[in-house]
Amino acid sequence: MRPNIVLFGDSITQESFRSGGWGASLADTYSRKADVVLRGYGGYNTRWALFLLHHLFPLGSTKPPVATTVFFGANDAALAGRTGERQHVPVEEYKENLRKIVHHLKECSPTMLIVLITPPPIDEEGRMEYARETYSEKAMTLPERTNETTGVYAKGCVELAGELGVRSINLWSKMQETDGWQKKYLRDGLHLTAEGNAVVFEEVVKVFKEAWLDASEMPYDFPHHSEIDGKNPEKAFQQKCL
Amino acid sequence: MRPNIVLFGDSITQESFRSGGWGASLADTYSRKADVVLRGYGGYNTRWALFLLHHLFPLGSTKPPVATTVFFGANDAALAGRTGERQHVPVEEYKENLRKIVHHLKECSPTMLIVLITPPPIDEEGRMEYARETYSEKAMTLPERTNETTGVYAKGCVELAGELGVRSINLWSKMQETDGWQKKYLRDGLHLTAEGNAVVFEEVVKVFKEAWLDASEMPYDFPHHSEIDGKNPEKAFQQKCL
């Protein structure tokens, strides 16, 4: 009955229902109006995401999502020749994979609102600190991601969105507009703090509103309790339930 | 593909995806294993919930939920003759309504895990303070709910669960085991603080585990990223996706 909003992405999506997470905030905002469906796959890059595409978004579904956020790139941008090499995907392939994802979603539903989200910026120092705390002497000596390289992927993502005529959020740029973004928005140089989650939430809500998917203008699935007459409840439910 | 866990209830369920909410914590815990579906209806009592039953849980569904929490009573227990009278449902009818809900869910799926949750205790003083802050001079002069009466509903809920052979959580009793529960667990004498949400989350997870719906023992929907060979990703996806 309610429309579905799917969050498709890597760990930054998978974690988004933790306390203060952007996914949970979306689910709260759209409560009684749309279901927010969590499809986050920690560690995944776009190459691996392609394997899931037909399973998560089957063609011919009678109820495709009304909106999907596609939030990859943090792992694709892991550098070749460093500790995250296994996850590395060259930027041209990253763009091609995103293109395949968008095409598939459009094939599922031509009216689906598709929002590409770039990876957040990288705080290389924060990444190294985290590695030292976690692995002590076995920690990497060179960062496995750099902010500069991740920026190239972010740029590619936004360019592709423009080319395909879908919306995008340049999280990489947006976060860096704020002084102290390194610690304010990132808890380990990559993953989001509660404040970082709030930025994603605000940006997604803004784009959804611009695309006419505004929670405040969507109908409740069933009557608000204040519309129910205590002595004659049938009346309120007549239209939808009787 | 993934099983659904439905949270059916009133405002305490509807709010459960706010920061630190028990619903969001469940969604996080079952991430990549089950979908947590929010069906909370603020202000609803069991009498009104019955109108939704066939719509939210259609008979003959090919994918009924594996588990449903049924969390009503806070509004049923609003006192007759006070400001919440419209929501009041006599305790015997409350039990009958819960019985109808359980029977319907069992008809949807005989194997569904059904967990009845009692309303939380009421801090009458906190309720009055909240009313004064919100409505100042127009505030109620007598509390619209009492802890004692809500306790009668909680007892009825637990008794019914025993009679029907379904599981229950006596939140009313559980919360009162802790000194200072009034402010620690309740933010306005009725709705939950983050700590109150944590109690519900822990209790639900405990009951789910006892009933063999333990997230740590459930399979991932798709391979964990550490199982994916960077040079031969097909292999990891072979079983589920190719």
Short mmCIF file of all heavy atoms in Angstrom, two decimals, chain B residues 16-43:
data_model
loop_
_atom_site.label_atom_id
_atom_site.label_comp_id
_atom_site.label_asym_id
_atom_site.label_seq_id
_atom_site.Cartn_x
_atom_site.Cartn_y
_atom_site.Cartn_z
N SER B 16 9.47 4.90 16.98
CA SER B 16 10.62 4.04 17.32
C SER B 16 11.78 4.14 16.34
O SER B 16 12.78 3.43 16.51
CB SER B 16 10.15 2.59 17.44
OG SER B 16 9.77 2.08 16.17
N PHE B 17 11.66 5.00 15.32
CA PHE B 17 12.81 5.22 14.42
C PHE B 17 13.46 6.58 14.66
O PHE B 17 14.32 7.00 13.90
CB PHE B 17 12.39 5.04 12.96
CG PHE B 17 12.36 3.59 12.56
CD1 PHE B 17 11.41 2.73 13.09
CD2 PHE B 17 13.30 3.06 11.69
CE1 PHE B 17 11.40 1.38 12.76
CE2 PHE B 17 13.30 1.72 11.34
CZ PHE B 17 12.34 0.87 11.88
N ARG B 18 13.02 7.27 15.71
CA ARG B 18 13.74 8.49 16.11
C ARG B 18 15.12 8.08 16.63
O ARG B 18 15.37 6.91 16.91
CB ARG B 18 12.96 9.22 17.20
CG ARG B 18 11.68 9.84 16.67
CD ARG B 18 11.10 10.79 17.69
NE ARG B 18 9.79 11.29 17.26
CZ ARG B 18 8.96 11.96 18.04
NH1 ARG B 18 9.30 12.23 19.30
NH2 ARG B 18 7.81 12.38 17.58
N SER B 19 15.98 9.08 16.84
CA SER B 19 17.34 8.80 17.29
C SER B 19 17.33 7.96 18.57
O SER B 19 16.69 8.33 19.55
CB SER B 19 18.06 10.13 17.54
OG SER B 19 19.39 9.88 17.86
N GLY B 20 17.99 6.82 18.54
CA GLY B 20 18.04 5.93 19.69
C GLY B 20 16.80 5.08 19.86
O GLY B 20 16.66 4.38 20.86
N GLY B 21 15.90 5.12 18.88
CA GLY B 21 14.63 4.39 18.99
C GLY B 21 14.80 2.87 18.88
O GLY B 21 15.71 2.39 18.21
N TRP B 22 13.88 2.15 19.53
CA TRP B 22 13.99 0.68 19.57
C TRP B 22 13.78 0.06 18.19
O TRP B 22 14.40 -0.96 17.87
CB TRP B 22 13.06 0.09 20.62
CG TRP B 22 11.58 0.25 20.37
CD1 TRP B 22 10.82 1.34 20.66
CD2 TRP B 22 10.69 -0.72 19.79
NE1 TRP B 22 9.51 1.11 20.30
CE2 TRP B 22 9.40 -0.15 19.78
CE3 TRP B 22 10.85 -2.02 19.31
CZ2 TRP B 22 8.28 -0.82 19.28
CZ3 TRP B 22 9.74 -2.69 18.82
CH2 TRP B 22 8.47 -2.10 18.80
N GLY B 23 12.95 0.67 17.36
CA GLY B 23 12.70 0.13 16.03
C GLY B 23 13.94 0.26 15.14
O GLY B 23 14.34 -0.69 14.46
N ALA B 24 14.55 1.44 15.17
CA ALA B 24 15.77 1.66 14.38
C ALA B 24 16.88 0.72 14.84
O ALA B 24 17.61 0.15 14.02
CB ALA B 24 16.22 3.11 14.49
N SER B 25 16.99 0.51 16.15
CA SER B 25 18.02 -0.40 16.67
C SER B 25 17.77 -1.83 16.18
O SER B 25 18.72 -2.56 15.85
CB SER B 25 18.03 -0.38 18.20
OG SER B 25 18.34 0.91 18.67
N LEU B 26 16.50 -2.22 16.12
CA LEU B 26 16.19 -3.55 15.59
C LEU B 26 16.57 -3.64 14.12
O LEU B 26 17.16 -4.62 13.68
CB LEU B 26 14.69 -3.82 15.70
CG LEU B 26 14.15 -4.47 16.97
CD1 LEU B 26 12.65 -4.70 16.82
CD2 LEU B 26 14.84 -5.78 17.30
N ALA B 27 16.21 -2.59 13.35
CA ALA B 27 16.54 -2.58 11.91
C ALA B 27 18.05 -2.69 11.72
O ALA B 27 18.53 -3.37 10.82
CB ALA B 27 16.01 -1.32 11.25
N ASP B 28 18.80 -2.03 12.60
CA ASP B 28 20.26 -2.08 12.53
C ASP B 28 20.76 -3.49 12.86
O ASP B 28 21.62 -4.04 12.17
CB ASP B 28 20.86 -1.04 13.47
CG ASP B 28 22.37 -0.95 13.36
OD1 ASP B 28 22.86 -0.83 12.22
OD2 ASP B 28 23.06 -1.02 14.38
N THR B 29 20.21 -4.07 13.91
CA THR B 29 20.63 -5.40 14.34
C THR B 29 20.35 -6.46 13.26
O THR B 29 21.15 -7.36 13.04
CB THR B 29 19.89 -5.79 15.63
OG1 THR B 29 20.20 -4.81 16.62
CG2 THR B 29 20.29 -7.17 16.13
N TYR B 30 19.22 -6.34 12.60
CA TYR B 30 18.83 -7.33 11.59
C TYR B 30 19.22 -6.91 10.16
O TYR B 30 18.80 -7.53 9.20
CB TYR B 30 17.33 -7.62 11.68
CG TYR B 30 17.00 -8.48 12.88
CD1 TYR B 30 16.79 -7.93 14.13
CD2 TYR B 30 16.98 -9.87 12.77
CE1 TYR B 30 16.53 -8.71 15.24
CE2 TYR B 30 16.72 -10.67 13.86
CZ TYR B 30 16.49 -10.09 15.10
OH TYR B 30 16.26 -10.88 16.20
N SER B 31 20.02 -5.85 10.08
CA SER B 31 20.44 -5.35 8.78
C SER B 31 21.08 -6.47 7.95
O SER B 31 21.89 -7.25 8.45
CB SER B 31 21.43 -4.20 9.05
OG SER B 31 22.44 -4.16 8.11
N ARG B 32 20.71 -6.56 6.69
CA ARG B 32 21.17 -7.59 5.75
C ARG B 32 20.61 -8.98 6.06
O ARG B 32 21.01 -9.97 5.43
CB ARG B 32 22.70 -7.64 5.67
CG ARG B 32 23.27 -6.31 5.18
CD ARG B 32 24.74 -6.36 4.90
NE ARG B 32 25.06 -7.38 3.93
CZ ARG B 32 26.29 -7.62 3.51
NH1 ARG B 32 27.29 -6.90 3.95
NH2 ARG B 32 26.52 -8.58 2.64
N LYS B 33 19.68 -9.05 7.01
CA LYS B 33 19.12 -10.36 7.37
C LYS B 33 17.60 -10.36 7.36
O LYS B 33 16.97 -11.30 6.91
CB LYS B 33 19.66 -10.76 8.73
CG LYS B 33 21.17 -10.91 8.68
CD LYS B 33 21.80 -11.29 9.97
CE LYS B 33 23.28 -11.60 9.74
NZ LYS B 33 23.95 -12.06 10.96
N ALA B 34 17.01 -9.29 7.87
CA ALA B 34 15.54 -9.17 7.85
C ALA B 34 15.20 -7.69 7.73
O ALA B 34 15.98 -6.82 8.11
CB ALA B 34 14.95 -9.75 9.13
N ASP B 35 14.03 -7.42 7.16
CA ASP B 35 13.55 -6.04 7.06
C ASP B 35 12.61 -5.75 8.22
O ASP B 35 11.70 -6.54 8.49
CB ASP B 35 12.80 -5.82 5.74
CG ASP B 35 13.76 -5.72 4.56
OD1 ASP B 35 14.89 -5.22 4.76
OD2 ASP B 35 13.39 -6.14 3.46
N VAL B 36 12.84 -4.65 8.89
CA VAL B 36 11.96 -4.23 9.98
C VAL B 36 10.97 -3.21 9.43
O VAL B 36 11.37 -2.16 8.91
CB VAL B 36 12.78 -3.66 11.15
CG1 VAL B 36 11.86 -3.13 12.24
CG2 VAL B 36 13.70 -4.74 11.71
N VAL B 37 9.70 -3.55 9.50
CA VAL B 37 8.66 -2.75 8.86
C VAL B 37 7.85 -2.01 9.94
O VAL B 37 7.33 -2.63 10.86
CB VAL B 37 7.73 -3.67 8.03
CG1 VAL B 37 6.64 -2.85 7.35
CG2 VAL B 37 8.53 -4.46 7.01
N LEU B 38 7.79 -0.70 9.79
CA LEU B 38 7.18 0.15 10.80
C LEU B 38 5.69 0.33 10.55
O LEU B 38 5.29 0.90 9.53
CB LEU B 38 7.90 1.51 10.74
CG LEU B 38 7.45 2.62 11.69
CD1 LEU B 38 7.55 2.17 13.14
CD2 LEU B 38 8.31 3.86 11.48
N ARG B 39 4.89 -0.15 11.46
CA ARG B 39 3.44 0.03 11.35
C ARG B 39 2.91 0.57 12.68
O ARG B 39 2.11 -0.06 13.37
CB ARG B 39 2.76 -1.31 11.00
CG ARG B 39 3.04 -1.79 9.58
CD ARG B 39 2.41 -0.89 8.51
NE ARG B 39 2.73 -1.31 7.16
CZ ARG B 39 3.75 -0.86 6.44
NH1 ARG B 39 4.59 0.05 6.95
NH2 ARG B 39 3.96 -1.28 5.21
N GLY B 40 3.39 1.76 13.02
CA GLY B 40 2.98 2.42 14.27
C GLY B 40 1.96 3.48 13.97
O GLY B 40 2.15 4.26 13.02
N TYR B 41 0.91 3.56 14.76
CA TYR B 41 -0.18 4.51 14.55
C TYR B 41 -0.43 5.28 15.83
O TYR B 41 -1.14 4.81 16.73
CB TYR B 41 -1.45 3.75 14.07
CG TYR B 41 -1.19 3.13 12.72
CD1 TYR B 41 -0.61 1.87 12.60
CD2 TYR B 41 -1.41 3.87 11.56
CE1 TYR B 41 -0.29 1.34 11.35
CE2 TYR B 41 -1.09 3.35 10.32
CZ TYR B 41 -0.54 2.10 10.22
OH TYR B 41 -0.20 1.58 9.00
N GLY B 42 0.17 6.47 15.91
CA GLY B 42 0.06 7.31 17.10
C GLY B 42 -1.38 7.54 17.49
O GLY B 42 -2.22 7.84 16.64
N GLY B 43 -1.68 7.40 18.77
CA GLY B 43 -3.02 7.68 19.28
C GLY B 43 -3.99 6.53 19.17
O GLY B 43 -5.09 6.58 19.75
#
